[in-house]
Amino acid sequence: MSAAQGKTGRRPGESGAREAILAAATAAFAEAGYDRATIRGIATAAGVDPALVLHYFGSKKDLFEAALELPVSPRQIFERGVVAGPDQLGAVIVRTFLEAWEPPETRVRLMAMLRSAMTNDTAMAMIRDLLVREVFGPITQTLGVPDAPLRATLVGSQFVGLAIIRYIGRLEPLASASIDDLVSAIGPTVQRYLTGELGGGTQGG
Amino acid sequence: MSAAQGKTGRRPGESGAREAILAAATAAFAEAGYDRATIRGIATAAGVDPALVLHYFGSKKDLFEAALELPVSPRQIFERGVVAGPDQLGAVIVRTFLEAWEPPETRVRLMAMLRSAMTNDTAMAMIRDLLVREVFGPITQTLGVPDAPLRATLVGSQFVGLAIIRYIGRLEPLASASIDDLVSAIGPTVQRYLTGELGGGTQGG
DNA sequence: TGTAGAACTCTACAGGCGTTGAATTCCTTG
DNA sequence: CAAGGAATTCAACGCCTGTAGAGTTCTACA
């Protein structure tokens, strides 16, 4: 980033303002979602004039996309599970998923995506593309079974719900449960969604 | 426009406008969430002046709460499962949950709550109170085990994720999967969350 | 030192928002 | 027909939004 600028302008390349804006934007999107977050609010939080936000990022939509560039690839969530072997698949994936939410910077980004995706088509498309490309795609390829796409979305549904209840709704006791406990509780679910017999459950109705 | 009026014109005490506003509001909240839905838009959809909306409902927040009064009690979702017996618990609950989403009027309300809860504290509190009182409470009491609250929120996480992936994100193939298939796939998960061994899964790390 | 250009701010526009209170239409009732 | 009250509309206020463009400050380099 600083190397790209070279020599120009006021403390070129390292103003700090750009990063402050990005951080404030990510936090605002995470807290309020795309619609409620305002450029003026982000600018104030960053100690900067609102016009500067647009000067750097062009528009609110572009700022949103810039603020939500994931620092980690979600693909490794599944890849780590594959490495651990088929029996550990569910547990390792759940653990990796939960640990990915631990760093505040990541959590804030994921919360922003989740919150915004509920009412913003752009955000929802981002999540869908991301999941399909980085998570569901690898799962589907690796499993090599015909109903792999359904299995992948089932896993996705459990993870999305887990994230919402734990991090956004903060419903107890799930919100405060330890990662170990959740791995024990949810790991077998994911394990079964990926490798188990989906049609063999007890029929109801 | 005002086809509901018909020949009788305006009857004091009962006009179709109120219901039209409620329907339009519910649809708007379901489609856009609380923040994005606008009173002006709702009024236009209902073929009515914006001021009339406020005249009837006082404020946007009150309108939201009026529009989201659930037509069915979610309590029966669990009660039907209890009646069916402990072995059928998961399957019956999943089926009842999915069938509850089928009627368009109910679906629209549930989508509105879900969408709005992501960025609106009032909506989130409504959902939390509703779940705790109508679903988690009965589950906790009936199960009579010490970790019942955790089990209840685990079930909640799976259901919230299912609803979001299937009805809001519309991710395939889960979005188009039949109720029977989903009962087979998710029923055992719920069954285990409620009555199974939570700590006995494969450990991962 | 002069100047180019980046970093940053000021001011303003145009539009949408929730909300308000007075004015108007319309039906019912006496 | 006249009065009363409910149903509904009109017009406007004040606020906030995203955005645009001109203007200002500052730093790096010739």
Side-chain angles (χ1 to χ4, degrees):
Chain A
M1 154 175 274
S2 50
Q5 291 285 358
K7 59 269 168 91
T8 42
R10 169 195 298 186
R11 181 110 41 169
E14 196 205 335
S15 76
R18 184 180 241 269
E19 296 162 13
I21 291 171
L22 264 183
T26 309
F29 288 134
E31 196 177 334
Y34 181 86
D35 299 312
R36 271 203 173 184
T38 70
I39 288 188
R40 283 173 160 86
I42 290 168
T44 300
V48 137
D49 189 274
L52 191 61
V53 177
L54 279 304
H55 171 72
Y56 278 132
F57 296 97
S59 73
K60 184 180 182 180
K61 178 168 171 289
D62 291 340
L63 172 63
F64 178 73
E65 295 183 357
L68 261 58
E69 258 179 20
L70 283 185
V72 296
S73 164
R75 181 192 294 262
Q76 57 180 299
I77 289 181
F78 180 67
E79 284 176 347
R80 276 182 55 178
V82 172
V83 171
D87 288 348
Q88 308 287 329
L89 204 53
V92 172
I93 290 181
V94 171
R95 182 176 298 277
T96 307
F97 176 81
L98 288 170
E99 285 173 351
W101 278 80
E102 286 300 310
E105 294 180 6
T106 309
R107 177 180 300 196
V108 131
R109 280 180 165 79
L110 292 170
M111 284 180 64
M113 291 187 75
L114 219 44
R115 273 213 155 99
S116 304
M118 291 299 113
T119 54
N120 188 269
D121 288 342
T122 301
M124 179 60 87
M126 282 178 64
I127 286 190
R128 180 167 43 224
D129 293 347
L130 190 80
L131 286 179
V132 169
R133 179 167 27 87
E134 300 285 334
V135 184
F136 296 165
I139 288 180
T140 302
Q141 282 189 343
T142 305
L143 290 184
V145 289
D147 55 354
L150 177 61
R151 293 173 182 273
T153 46
L154 283 169
V155 173
S157 76
Q158 175 61 88
F159 280 170
V160 165
L162 171 60
I164 287 178
I165 297 288
R166 181 173 167 92
Y167 300 112
I168 295 192
R170 281 186 255 271
L171 254 72
E172 297 294 352
L174 197 149
S176 303
S178 71
I179 290 186
D180 283 345
D181 286 347
L182 292 180
V183 168
S184 298
I186 302 179
T189 294
V190 174
Q191 181 77 37
R192 183 175 151 278
Y193 283 162
L194 290 180
T195 66
E197 181 65 35
L198 288 190
T202 304
Q203 299 293 327
Chain B
M1 301 212 178
S2 56
Q5 300 280 357
K7 59 220 186 249
T8 53
R10 284 173 211 189
R11 305 178 280 262
E14 170 154 8
S15 92
R18 182 181 248 270
E19 296 161 15
I21 290 170
L22 263 184
T26 310
F29 287 133
E31 196 177 333
Y34 181 85
D35 299 313
R36 269 203 174 186
T38 69
I39 287 187
R40 283 173 158 89
I42 290 168
T44 301
V48 136
D49 189 273
L52 191 62
V53 177
L54 280 305
H55 171 73
Y56 279 132
F57 297 98
S59 73
K60 184 179 181 180
K61 177 168 171 290
D62 291 340
L63 172 64
F64 178 74
E65 295 183 358
L68 262 57
E69 258 178 21
L70 281 185
V72 296
S73 163
R75 181 192 295 261
Q76 58 181 299
I77 289 181
F78 180 68
E79 285 176 348
R80 277 182 56 179
V82 171
V83 172
D87 287 348
Q88 307 286 329
L89 204 53
V92 172
I93 290 181
V94 171
R95 182 176 298 279
T96 308
F97 176 81
L98 288 170
E99 285 173 351
W101 276 82
E102 286 300 308
E105 296 180 4
T106 309
R107 177 179 300 196
V108 132
R109 280 182 167 78
L110 292 171
M111 284 179 64
M113 290 187 76
L114 219 44
R115 273 214 156 97
S116 304
M118 290 299 113
T119 54
N120 189 269
D121 289 341
T122 301
M124 179 61 87
M126 282 178 64
I127 287 190
R128 180 167 43 223
D129 293 347
L130 189 81
L131 287 179
V132 169
R133 178 167 27 87
E134 301 285 333
V135 184
F136 296 165
I139 288 180
T140 302
Q141 282 189 343
T142 306
L143 289 183
V145 289
D147 54 355
L150 176 61
R151 294 173 182 273
T153 45
L154 282 169
V155 173
S157 76
Q158 175 61 88
F159 279 170
V160 165
L162 172 60
I164 287 178
I165 297 288
R166 181 173 168 92
Y167 300 113
I168 296 192
R170 282 186 255 271
L171 254 72
E172 297 295 354
L174 197 149
S176 303
S178 71
I179 289 186
D180 282 346
D181 286 348
L182 292 180
V183 168
S184 297
I186 302 178
T189 294
V190 174
Q191 181 76 36
R192 183 174 152 279
Y193 283 162
L194 290 180
T195 65
E197 181 65 35
L198 288 189
T202 305
Q203 299 293 329

